[in-house]
Amino acid sequence: MCGIVGYIGDKEAYPILIKGLGRLEYRGYDSAGVALLNEEGILNVYKTKGKVAELDSFCHDKDVSGTVGIAHTRWATHGEPSAVNAHPHYSESKNLAIIHNGIIENYADLKKKLQSKGLTFRSNTDTEVLVQLIEYVQTRKNLDLLTAVQLALHEVIGAYAVALLDKRHPDQIIAACRQSPLVIGISDKEFFLASDASPIIDHTDKVVYLEDGSIAVMKKGDELKVVNILNRELSPKVQTIDLELGQIEKGGYPHFMLKEIFEQPECLTNCMRGRVNIEGTNVTLSAVIDYKKQLLSAKRIIIVGCGTSWHAGLIGKQIIENLCRIPVEVEYASEFRYRHPVVSNKDVVIAISQSGETADTLAAVKLAKQNGAFIYGICNVIGASIPRATDTGSYIHVGPEIGVASTKAFTGQVTVLTMLALALAKAKSTIDDKTYFGIVKELNAIPGKIEETLKLNDRIASLSKIFTYARNFLYLGRGYNYPVAMEGALKLKEISYIHAEGYPAAEMKHGPIALIDSDMPVVVIATRNSMYEKVLSNIQEIKARKGKVIALVTKGDETITKIVDEVIELPDTQECLEPLLATIPLQLLAYHIAVCKGKDVDQPRNLAKSVTVE
């Protein structure tokens, strides 16, 4: 959840670190800090509550010299957001400074043990416990820092990515990770360290993704040593990253979220490139070709994910069951891992995560793998932990998603699930040629139809001003579109802080209808499909109770248009592909309502992009 940046080389570290923190601020923005080692061997630590800009302002008149440094932007877990709880944290002697992403689950026991030895603590964080433990181990046994880190981590239960400075050794940074990502950038006589590659691309395209359980020692003069916790030397694999600077900048848009909404036509084209042929008549997934036996022999598919990824899984369930006739269950990854699920080698588990680092989803993958299931990953970030832990999978290839509220990743996930269902259905012969070709052709046309839908932006922006008064929203859909209703409600909650709930429309009568009155806006996905008449009846039930209805309808609809308060028209498409179009106006609606309310759209309160902690 937090962002880590580090630098060691010949350049001044502070400008590199502060710019890198800005790139990682989507991972956490309630406090920030930096530690710098200058030429006199002084270790300066500066930290503030608030965003990176506030840290930069705080450091304006401070000594920020030095060519070695680490920096951190925080999403609070242990200890409220404050300058005291912000990272970096000193050891008791102030010889060591550490930054940390993750959670030390047994920190309370470790803290009690260290306090019994006479150590005192300045903060309420689990991170300070770790740096105190490292120094205690180092001092007690007179060890070098690397060995002390290895021994201390033996005692730690939990997930971590850490970077550590020792003012007595100003020529090195030590970093370690377990179930939390770290990337090392390699350039001429310098190293960069970050939670992901976005702060590194200005400087180099050569990176090493640290494997789980790795400890790296970066020294001035091109020396990189990577070992595991048992001190076995590892051979890091240097990779070339394919990431352009423009992908992580706003490009003239006021917010990353709006930019990413408008990128979806291009993103889905990229997602389908090489998978849907130019003629739009066939879908080919290498994972299905390479692992045909394992996938086709599945007695059951279990989809695991969190938040938006879970919603994508609900749509995937319907598509896979309808086209492939394989039973599918969709599980919250956070619940799946703790309820002793029945999983066997006859199951395929599909793990969905934008970042590929979601802690609960990664834990679900490991649990399923231990029980013999075949694991298929659907992720966006290449080289992330979940792709590395799975047997096979498909990247969604939608480019970096910086806005905390997921938009293009959702449509990318749904697109990959649709292609997977089509490829499996064809291989299983559970779909006839006419149906198959019709869906593939229409899938190929979806980017153009999203372009058309995005032309509604000005209308939705104007419409949004009407509904900023609302304290509650209800979103309704049926069939393929009820998960879209849930996703639309989630987007509104995340960035506008308006309470919203998404339901299958027929379930409205089983409770939510009690909420409906003239002050309750209700968004209904009412496209012309097999459920049209049913949804029409649901709309009439709402209007009979004076609810305000915003209806998403198929272009040319005259029946629903006459009875609702506001209409948003969508291009016609195949029923199973409607979620890819219907979600676009809901993203725009949430965005514009939040902007009208003056909210921080890209960095909503209490949220962070990559949920790498439980």
Side-chain angles (χ1 to χ4, degrees), residues 110-422:
L110 294 172
K111 185 174 185 178
K112 189 180 297 184
K113 171 185 171 182
L114 292 170
Q115 286 173 325
S116 72
K117 304 295 183 182
L119 276 73
T120 58
F121 289 81
R122 305 175 181 89
S123 75
N124 298 316
T125 68
D126 56 336
T127 302
E128 188 186 0
V129 174
L130 181 55
V131 73
Q132 298 276 39
L133 176 63
I134 291 169
E135 181 170 81
Y136 174 75
V137 170
Q138 183 185 28
T139 303
R140 186 183 62 167
K141 297 187 176 182
N142 193 26
L143 301 171
D144 63 273
L145 184 58
L146 173 59
T147 305
V149 168
Q150 290 169 325
L151 290 176
L153 292 179
H154 268 295
E155 297 187 43
V156 165
I157 299 171
Y160 53 79
V162 299
L164 194 68
L165 295 182
D166 185 341
K167 72 178 185 181
R168 297 160 298 183
H169 298 280
D171 63 339
Q172 72 174 14
I173 297 175
I174 291 183
C177 66
R178 180 177 182 270
Q179 297 179 15
S180 194
L182 274 180
V183 184
I184 297 173
I186 301 172
S187 189
D188 184 28
K189 296 183 179 179
E190 59 184 355
F191 295 104
F192 305 84
L193 181 70
S195 298
D196 64 44
S198 58
I200 292 172
I201 61 170
D202 280 350
H203 311 285
T204 181
D205 63 351
K206 299 293 185 291
V207 301
V208 169
Y209 292 94
L210 286 184
E211 295 290 334
D212 218 25
S214 297
I215 302 171
V217 182
M218 292 157 277
K219 290 191 175 182
K220 285 189 175 182
D222 280 351
E223 184 182 336
L224 173 64
K225 178 182 179 182
V226 181
V227 297
N228 66 11
I229 202 168
L230 299 175
N231 206 38
R232 182 170 64 85
E233 192 151 351
L234 306 175
S235 300
K237 180 183 177 183
V238 179
Q239 301 182 39
T240 301
I241 51 172
D242 182 18
L243 183 62
E244 296 178 5
L245 192 58
Q247 292 179 292
I248 57 171
E249 295 183 338
K250 290 180 183 174
Y253 287 89
H255 300 96
F256 279 111
M257 183 178 178
L258 188 62
K259 174 178 181 265
E260 288 158 6
I261 290 171
F262 271 82
E263 285 177 342
Q264 286 174 105
E266 180 184 359
C267 288
L268 297 196
T269 298
N270 292 338
C271 180
M272 289 187 275
R273 183 172 288 116
R275 294 163 169 175
V276 177
N277 63 358
I278 295 173
E279 296 78 18
T281 58
N282 192 42
V283 171
T284 304
L285 289 182
S286 58
V288 176
I289 294 171
D290 295 341
Y291 295 93
K292 187 174 181 179
K293 180 181 177 182
Q294 292 91 328
L295 293 169
L296 295 187
S297 63
K299 300 300 182 185
R300 177 181 60 159
I301 291 174
I302 304 169
I303 299 176
V304 294
C306 301
T308 286
S309 297
W310 185 75
H311 295 155
L314 292 174
I315 297 168
K317 167 186 169 69
Q318 295 191 49
I319 297 172
I320 293 169
E321 287 190 338
N322 284 348
L323 300 186
C324 307
R325 311 312 300 160
I326 302 171
V328 181
E329 299 173 9
V330 184
E331 299 261 9
Y332 284 114
S334 55
E335 292 295 316
F336 178 82
R337 62 181 293 197
Y338 287 116
R339 63 170 188 80
H340 304 295
V342 179
V343 183
S344 75
N345 58 7
K346 296 179 181 179
D347 296 321
V348 168
V349 171
I350 299 177
I352 309 176
S353 166
Q354 187 281 139
S355 66
E357 302 292 348
T358 309
D360 286 318
T361 308
L362 183 58
V365 165
K366 292 179 178 178
L367 174 62
K369 206 166 190 178
Q370 289 168 5
N371 285 275
F374 183 81
I375 316 295
Y376 193 109
I378 296 178
C379 299
N380 190 32
V381 179
I382 294 172
S385 297
I386 289 174
R388 294 200 305 266
T390 54
D391 295 301
T392 188
S394 300
Y395 287 111
I396 63 176
H397 293 308
V398 298
E401 189 178 64
I402 307 299
V404 167
S406 182
T407 53
K408 62 181 182 177
F410 174 71
T411 50
Q413 290 165 351
V414 172
T415 299
V416 166
L417 286 163
T418 302
M419 291 190 293
L420 176 61
L422 286 163

